[in-house]
Amino acid sequence: MSLRISTNSIYESGTSQLNTLQGQMAKTQNQLSTNKRMLTAADDPIASARALELTQSQSMNTQFGTNRSNANASLSLVDKSLSDVSGQITDIQSLIVTAGNGGYSQSDREALATELEGRLSDLIGLANTSNGVGGYLFSGYASTTQPYSQTPTGAAYQGDQGQRMLQVGSTRKMAISESGSAIFDAIGTGNGTFQTQAAATNTGAGIVSPGAVTDRSKLTGHDYAVNFAVSGTPAVTTYSVVDNSVSPAANVLQDQPYTAGASINFDGISFDVKGAPANGDSFTVKPSQKQSVFTTVTDLIKTLRTPDTGSAGKAALANGLATAGSNMQNALDNVLTVQASVGARMKELDSLDSTGSDLDTQYQATLSGLQDLDMVKAISLYSQQQTTLQAAQLSFKTMSSLSLFNYIS
């Protein structure tokens, strides 16, 4: 039994096969032109979904890199400002040492006070440093509020305690600013644990040292008064230590012989008094408080402008300079601590940048494996498809020309 194939069937079948071959060849051509194995998600649904996930992760990694760049710029500005602040504090410390020169007259100290007024203005200006985008570095979350305004006692803080944060990694948020109060206001007085001061009513020449902690386990955090008494002939100076934090006040030490420069020890603390305290003179020992560096400089200016009349005046000047020196050292230590924290964060950003760069390379390599075309294999396939299409076209031409009419003369 013979199978008859109609002319219409020959044409339909041939056209369909040619269209299929041309479509396959066009797809290979598009893959070659784009160097992509997957032109649509239908080409490889699993690889396409994975590539989309990787692309999103890569975009997030790129954004984290941008955030790190912004964070580094902000922290660099903070670091530069803190370096300038530490320079100003160091200069003020030098002026304190200079002011203690026994040969200086009152007019000399007045000149130093005038210079300190300029230093105070410079410090407040640094505390009000702009972040370059219309805000302030040290105002916390209230970035558009000027942090400090000068007052008769120093400067008043108008910002808040916040630190602006920025996402610099998938699991890392980093502070890119510092609160002004933490830098300029949170300065411990005295030696950081307790503060010694001479009473304003003292008439003698006693000068008290900042002191030090000898046994932290014995610290009470109480307020003490060291009272001096001078009596007898020849005059004998003694002192008593009174704890004013209990009621009634309790004697800690009583009628102890005084030797200039000898240590006074009680309740885990130690300090000394030099010079000659007068009868009724008193020195206080209190827990350290938080004080603004601007208040310290303002008090120092007042100290320099107070005449050092007589031995009592000279002692008051020496005590005032010693207090200012301790407080400014604490201020410098605090600024350096904050600056070290900023530097640690900048170093961490460098490490995160290196990790981010490695991660981006990994993402790119994985995406390349999923999406990129094997050029050698694709070119070979394209040549094969081209040969197949040409053969199909030739065979279709030959078949379509078969007709009995070609043999009828």
Side-chain angles (χ1 to χ4, degrees), residues 86-156:
S86 62
Q88 287 291 338
I89 293 176
T90 301
D91 289 344
I92 292 172
Q93 288 178 308
S94 297
L95 291 176
I96 292 173
V97 174
T98 302
N101 189 326
Y104 269 41
S105 66
Q106 184 57 39
S107 61
D108 292 330
R109 285 191 291 274
E110 178 65 35
L112 291 177
T114 300
E115 183 176 352
L116 279 170
E117 287 179 334
R119 299 291 186 180
L120 177 60
S121 297
D122 291 342
L123 269 179
I124 294 175
L126 289 171
N128 290 331
T129 300
S130 169
N131 60 12
V133 290
Y136 296 92
L137 279 182
F138 304 120
S139 58
Y141 293 134
S143 60
T144 58
T145 300
Q146 180 175 297
Y148 285 95
S149 59
Q150 191 164 355
T151 66
T153 59

Side-chain angles (χ1 to χ4, degrees), residues 36 65 102 109 140 152 206 331 395 403:
K36 297 295 181 183
R109 285 191 291 274
S395 64
S403 172

Side-chain angles (χ1 to χ4, degrees), residues 267-336:
D267 291 350
I269 63 179
S270 176
F271 61 94
D272 63 71
V273 176
K274 295 182 175 66
N279 185 50
D281 280 1
S282 179
F283 298 86
T284 59
V285 182
K286 297 182 177 181
S288 292
Q289 305 293 321
K290 298 300 182 183
Q291 178 172 293
S292 166
V293 65
F294 309 116
T295 299
T296 296
V297 177
T298 301
D299 290 345
L300 174 59
I301 293 171
K302 292 177 182 177
T303 297
L304 292 177
R305 285 181 169 157
T306 301
D308 61 335
T309 306
S311 59
K314 294 183 183 302
L317 173 64
N319 284 318
L321 292 177
T323 297
S326 296
N327 292 349
M328 291 307 296
Q329 182 59 51
N330 293 341
L332 179 60
D333 291 343
N334 189 66
V335 170
L336 293 177

Side-chain angles (χ1 to χ4, degrees), residues 386-403:
Q386 187 179 36
T387 301
T388 302
L389 178 61
Q390 290 173 346
Q393 289 172 335
L394 182 59
S395 64
F396 176 72
K397 178 181 177 183
T398 302
M399 287 188 66
S400 62
S401 65
L402 293 177
S403 172

